[in-house]
Amino acid sequence: MTYLITFACYGCHLHGSASGSVDRHHNKPGTPVLLANTLRHSADTARMDQAPYLLDAIRGEAILATTREVCAYRGWALLAVQVRTTHVHLVIRAQAPPERVMSDIKAYSSRRLNALDLDEPDRKRWARHGSTRWLWKPEEVAAAIQYVAEEQGAPMSVYREDDEVEP
């Protein structure tokens, strides 16, 4: 199975924010996001016990390297990934449920970040879940790869399987 998986950093994509957010009904690229809702955003903000977590170049490269290592070890085909300041997108083919893929990537990335000793030991890094979209058709996979690798603004920590193919 092939998936488009997106997960956010802790506190960065709260429901109801003015920049828009997603839920299970608003999670397809190119479709509308949730409308701003100050009450919902305020409630989510009040529940936070740490500041939002942001990824810089060092953290982004660590997450990218870890994602590639986990995929190689598990035998998953990593088709594309981009680590952004506030979230991570990946397109992956795996013989595992997308929730497990996301959970493993988050866990191993957290271990790598812990080893770098850049944050407090009890730092929350990830939102509780994320978006796990199944991609059934080749054109859906191609569109997801394009979206992840090319349509996120200025490239940050990016990997695209096509980039490793020799001409």
Side-chain angles (χ1 to χ4, degrees), residues 6-9 12-13 55 82-89 152:
T6 302
F7 55 91
C9 295
C12 290
H13 289 270
L55 301 171
Q82 185 158 173
V83 181
R84 304 296 297 171
T85 307
T86 62
H87 60 285
V88 177
H89 291 293
Q152 297 302 308

Side-chain angles (χ1 to χ4, degrees), residues 70-93:
V70 170
C71 289
Y73 178 77
R74 299 264 192 247
W76 300 337
L78 182 61
L79 305 179
V81 63
Q82 185 158 173
V83 181
R84 304 296 297 171
T85 307
T86 62
H87 60 285
V88 177
H89 291 293
L90 58 104
V91 180
I92 188 165
R93 187 173 297 122

